[in-house]
Amino acid sequence: MRRPDRRVLPTIIGVSVLTTLAANTAVLVAHGQDGTPQATPQTSQQRFVAASGSYQLSPTAIAPLGKRLSPHVMVAAPGSLPPAVIERVRKIKGVQGVEIVDAVQAMVAGKRVGLLGVDPSTFRKYTPKPTAQSDALWRNIAGGDVAISFTMGNDGGVQLGAQIPVGGKQKQSTVRVGAYATMGIADVDAVVSHATAQSLGVPASNAMLISAPKLKTAKLIKDLRKLLPKQARAVEVSPKIDYPEAKRLPNANGQVMTARQVQTVIRAAHTRLGWPYVWGGESESEGGYDCSGLMQYAFARAGIRLPRVAADQARAGWVIPFSKAQPGDMLIWANDPTAPGYISHIALYLGDGKMLAAPRRGTVVQIQNVYTRNMRGAVRVNPRLSARVAG
């Protein structure tokens, strides 16, 4: 289960949202106190938010949750977005909301992740319902904590409540992990307040989320390009997964894998059996693999480019019912209780009710019986589409 593709902030490559800004982009570092990921976190659905007793924040420190908005487009740039440009975007007909954030690619617990600096009172309405509704979570962030994604905590081993050093070359600070809270943006695994972000040297106001539910996203992005500074980029936040009509799956002209490619993928995946699960792992040099890193490795052996994370890999073809799955298809699950519907786990189907997977931290790459709890179907990989999604 891999954190959403880390190669995205704000040079925004392909469909990803966060990537390296430029050669001079700030890069932050966060490790456990001994330089390794922290101990096993609490995973009960009732314990996603750390106690905030160390902060004397009143309940009114954070504005109540208003009407929730879905973010459709993210814009990011190497430097601050001009206020005049932001105002022009707000006035586009059909735009319901614009949220300004600070964005950078960071190193957290030894892994490169997307980090946002936000206004807790306003940003919360752009997040999934369980995250948005937690007043305590947003008070923790306002008080100086960092919220990390559920997968980073659960599979990355960063402990809820742990004090972790965060810093760049010039500045460092110790930040408490105050919540597990997936934000629904595939490339964001860490969120802090604007004040904390600025203390860490994160570029200020260099990104924005745009909610425009009645506009065609492709046209909105095209129109935005005419307004944005030259180095700014705009991408769709959560592209839809393709669920085709029954009996309409293409079966030729490069639209699906060949029998030889299927065999190559399965053989390649078998060579990784016994390798440790490593959150963010995608190669031998990292000592192991996570679920989507394993998929990327196996499909690459057959000449097929997959995007890096499960949420994007689910869009590398057509999602079909598990009952129609064939060997070589990928199986997908939405296991993250803080972002219902978000694809957070993926595995390779072998046939006969068996799959090959990197299950979770503390396990190894293994063959398992397929389970259907939280399953969202099977992905019939389209090599051409996959290459476009990978960027």
Side-chain angles (χ1 to χ4, degrees):
M1 230 151 94
R2 156 86 174 190
R3 49 189 168 75
D5 191 58
R6 306 311 140 186
R7 303 191 174 97
V8 286
L9 177 82
T11 298
I12 304 186
I13 297 175
V15 297
S16 297
V17 178
L18 297 181
T19 190
T20 304
L21 284 168
N24 61 351
T25 297
V27 176
L28 309 181
V29 181
H31 297 283
Q33 294 181 355
D34 60 354
T36 63
Q38 299 296 298
T40 303
Q42 299 271 357
T43 57
S44 165
Q45 292 192 26
Q46 305 302 316
R47 294 300 305 276
F48 293 132
V49 181
S52 57
S54 60
Y55 300 127
Q56 301 301 316
L57 294 179
S58 70
T60 59
I62 299 299
L65 174 62
K67 179 182 178 181
R68 290 179 52 248
L69 298 174
S70 295
H72 298 98
V73 174
M74 184 171 184
V75 172
S80 299
L81 294 168
V85 170
I86 295 172
E87 190 59 28
R88 291 180 69 183
V89 173
R90 292 186 191 277
K91 292 181 178 179
I92 294 176
K93 187 175 180 180
V95 169
Q96 288 191 357
V98 174
E99 182 70 9
I100 306 304
V101 298
D102 316 315
V104 73
Q105 196 176 70
M107 292 296 293
V108 178
K111 302 296 182 180
R112 191 176 294 273
V113 304
L115 180 145
L116 298 183
V118 307
D119 178 340
S121 290
T122 57
F123 177 77
R124 64 187 299 185
K125 66 183 178 182
Y126 290 86
T127 65
K129 189 174 181 179
T131 301
Q133 289 181 329
S134 175
D135 290 333
L137 184 157
W138 298 105
R139 284 201 298 272
N140 282 6
I141 293 175
D145 282 352
V146 57
I148 61 173
S149 67
F150 175 78
T151 54
M152 183 177 182
N154 192 52
D155 294 299
V158 181
Q159 188 175 21
L160 188 64
Q163 297 285 341
I164 57 173
V166 179
K169 292 182 179 180
Q170 305 299 325
K171 300 179 181 180
Q172 288 194 357
S173 180
T174 298
V175 181
R176 187 180 71 159
V177 179
Y180 292 158
T182 297
M183 299 297 164
I185 302 173
D187 304 299
V188 175
D189 276 303
V191 171
V192 297
S193 68
H194 281 308
T196 300
Q198 296 315 299
S199 72
L200 298 171
V202 176
S205 303
N206 66 322
M208 60 180 162
L209 293 172
I210 302 170
S211 179
K214 295 184 179 181
L215 297 181
K216 291 185 177 180
T217 302
K219 184 179 185 304
L220 175 59
I221 290 175
K222 184 177 180 180
D223 291 341
L224 287 170
R225 289 179 183 144
K226 301 174 184 178
L227 302 178
L228 298 174
K230 185 176 180 180
Q231 292 183 300
R233 303 292 297 276
V235 296
E236 189 171 1
V237 171
S238 299
K240 293 181 179 180
I241 295 174
D242 188 0
Y243 293 87
E245 296 179 15
K247 300 180 181 179
R248 294 287 298 275
L249 284 178
N251 56 15
N253 300 321
Q255 296 294 295
V256 295
M257 295 192 296
T258 65
R260 177 173 293 183
Q261 285 177 315
V262 170
Q263 293 170 3
T264 300
V265 169
I266 292 175
R267 283 198 301 268
H270 272 85
T271 68
R272 304 296 95 178
L273 287 172
W275 281 72
Y277 178 97
V278 174
W279 187 74
E282 57 189 34
S283 66
E284 294 183 11
S285 63
E286 293 175 284
Y289 300 82
D290 62 14
C291 71
S292 55
L294 176 64
M295 295 301 99
Q296 193 177 53
Y297 169 84
F299 279 83
R301 303 287 80 76
I304 298 171
R305 294 178 57 217
L306 287 181
R308 180 53 188 89
V309 298
D312 287 337
Q313 290 177 355
R315 295 183 293 103
W318 303 273
V319 176
I320 60 177
F322 170 59
S323 61
K324 297 183 179 298
Q326 298 176 1
D329 290 341
M330 297 187 297
L331 306 180
I332 55 175
W333 289 263
N335 291 326
D336 185 345
T338 68
Y342 179 81
I343 302 302
S344 56
H345 185 54
I346 196 161
L348 179 67
Y349 187 51
L350 302 177
D352 297 324
K354 301 292 184 181
M355 63 183 182
L356 198 153
R360 66 188 66 83
R361 189 167 58 90
T363 67
V364 298
V365 177
Q366 60 190 261
I367 294 175
Q368 298 179 303
N369 293 323
V370 173
Y371 60 90
T372 57
R373 180 182 180 184
N374 297 329
M375 181 186 279
R376 293 296 184 267
V379 179
R380 181 68 47 79
V381 174
N382 174 342
R384 293 182 182 177
L385 176 60
S386 180
R388 290 199 300 270
V389 174

